[in-house]
Amino acid sequence: MEAKTPHRKMKIGIVVSDKMEKTISVRVTRHAMHPVYGKRIIKSKKFLVHDAENACRMGDRVQFAETRPMSKNKRWTLVKIIERAPILGGSVEEDV
């Protein structure tokens, strides 16, 4: 019998925090129409994502997938880093 992997939801977002150990916070934005005025508005939501290798940094564009609950709020795992954020503030000069 074939072993089938269950269909998992996939999302793409921007890393907004990497200060936790093996966890990143990712913001996913979407566009929606206002129910009364019909104006297009931007809505966003943050997800806690498991990053086993601590490979991500702030500003990276990442793809993540649904998984089993790993903690109280963490139910997503990192699939891949789509685009790396540029490193700002190149070298630091020391006062001598």
Side-chain angles (χ1 to χ4, degrees):
M1 182 174 190
E2 278 185 44
K4 289 188 177 181
T5 57
H7 177 70
R8 309 253 176 175
K9 294 178 185 173
M10 303 282 264
K11 296 189 182 290
I12 295 175
I14 305 292
V15 177
V16 293
S17 174
D18 61 349
K19 302 207 184 310
M20 296 169 275
E21 195 67 30
K22 295 189 179 182
T23 304
I24 55 174
S25 182
V26 180
R27 177 180 291 128
V28 176
T29 57
R30 64 184 182 90
H31 296 277
M33 296 298 279
H34 191 279
V36 175
Y37 301 112
K39 183 179 178 180
R40 193 171 180 203
I41 56 176
I42 297 173
K43 293 188 173 193
S44 64
K45 185 173 180 177
K46 288 199 296 188
F47 296 91
L48 291 182
V49 178
H50 182 67
D51 178 14
E53 292 94 33
N54 283 328
C56 294
R57 58 179 182 250
M58 281 183 56
D60 287 352
R61 186 176 179 83
V62 295
Q63 181 179 17
F64 55 100
E66 191 175 35
T67 187
R68 65 178 178 82
M70 301 184 114
S71 69
K72 180 182 174 183
N73 297 319
K74 192 163 53 167
R75 276 116 174 90
W76 300 87
T77 186
L78 181 68
V79 174
K80 66 179 176 179
I81 300 171
I82 296 171
E83 183 182 340
R84 282 290 202 177
I87 298 174
L88 301 175
S91 62
V92 178
E93 295 181 23
E94 295 181 17
D95 293 329
V96 178

